[in-house]
Amino acid sequence: MTTTFATTKLAAQLLPRTYNGESSQDGLQFLGSAQVYYELLTRANVEEKLVFIAIISQLTEGAAGWAGPFIVRIATSPSTSHLPWKTFVEFDTEFKAHFCAADDKQAVVAELIKLCKNVHRIGTVKDYTTQFNAAAARTPFSDEDKAE
């Protein structure tokens, strides 16, 4: 078996499952498998732009709208220095900012509601205030909203 054939077979087996952009949890799972894919293939000297195209071509439905311009930009870039991301970490950061931020905010709001409803909880006022302020700081709420 030649190295090229082995790399192609490995690439096909490790390609991340599709992601439609609906759930941040699914997005995080997609990123985990995409990182493994990226690391193994770039270590096998597969051209980085091909690896990024393969990864973002797995984005479907709503996520495909986000991926489309990047695929065109990568495909037409003359070299890896013109890629939208210099590293996988940069891709990871941009992906999370786009697909995971809204769900994170919803999760924080749910956390605040649960904290507010849990009035019979054993603990100090200081503990409650610390937990509330930590969660509230991660929301887009104004100071007036937080006081209500």
Side-chain angles (χ1 to χ4, degrees):
M1 184 169 5
T2 66
T3 303
T4 304
F5 178 73
T7 303
T8 303
K9 187 174 180 180
L10 178 66
Q13 292 172 343
L14 294 177
L15 190 63
R17 290 189 175 147
T18 59
Y19 173 65
N20 62 13
E22 291 180 11
S23 158
S24 66
Q25 185 63 33
D26 290 344
L28 294 173
Q29 290 174 347
F30 173 83
L31 279 176
S33 60
Q35 183 174 12
V36 169
Y37 185 81
Y38 176 88
E39 295 291 334
L40 289 173
L41 289 171
T42 54
R43 285 184 189 156
N45 297 319
V46 175
E47 189 178 356
E48 198 168 16
K49 75 188 250 180
L50 295 176
V51 176
F52 274 128
I53 287 174
I55 290 171
I56 63 176
S57 69
Q58 293 300 102
L59 300 176
T60 63
E61 298 175 35
W66 177 82
F70 289 117
I71 291 174
V72 171
R73 188 169 160 198
I74 293 168
T76 59
S77 68
S79 68
T80 56
S81 64
H82 293 89
L83 293 177
W85 313 285
K86 303 287 183 235
T87 64
F88 186 84
V89 172
E90 288 180 11
F91 169 76
D92 183 271
T93 301
E94 189 163 343
F95 184 94
K96 284 178 181 173
H98 188 81
F99 293 107
C100 300
D103 279 357
D104 289 344
K105 288 176 186 170
Q106 290 172 352
V108 170
V109 170
E111 182 181 333
L112 284 172
I113 291 169
K114 182 179 174 185
L115 186 61
C116 291
K117 287 183 177 181
N118 201 359
V119 292
H120 300 294
R121 187 178 150 185
I122 299 173
T124 66
V125 171
K126 183 179 177 183
D127 291 341
Y128 173 85
T129 304
T130 301
Q131 289 178 358
F132 181 89
N133 288 337
R138 299 188 325 253
T139 69
F141 297 145
S142 68
D143 289 338
E144 288 178 10
D145 291 333
K146 293 174 189 174
E148 290 181 8

